[in-house]
Amino acid sequence: MPVSSSSPAFIPVPAANLPPPPVAEVGAPVDPDQLLDPAVAKKAQKLARWAISALEYDDVNNAIDNLREAIQ
């Protein structure tokens, strides 16, 4: 299927080029600001799914809005 010139190009980043995730030390103190309320996490996941759905319909602006709200 040909890609239209109006579609933004998606260039995946090879996993080998990604930085490793931070590793928490056993017994290290947990920053309370980094804890995520399960209800907040669930809403963020729902917004991310909506963003993916919007992209399936080429609705980039709605996808961006949903991802920004999920990050908040």
Side-chain angles (χ1 to χ4, degrees):
M1 174 180 221
V3 177
S4 70
S5 61
S6 64
S7 297
F10 173 73
I11 303 171
V13 177
N17 294 344
L18 296 176
V23 178
E25 295 179 25
V26 176
V30 176
D31 182 3
D33 293 332
Q34 296 296 318
L35 296 177
L36 189 59
D37 178 4
V40 172
K42 188 173 183 173
K43 182 171 183 182
Q45 290 170 350
K46 179 172 73 172
L47 289 164
R49 285 192 299 273
W50 287 354
I52 292 168
S53 178
L55 288 174
E56 290 173 355
Y57 292 97
D58 296 325
D59 187 355
V60 176
N61 291 330
N62 193 14
I64 291 170
D65 290 343
N66 280 307
L67 288 174
R68 284 187 176 147
E69 188 174 345
I71 291 169
Q72 294 290 331

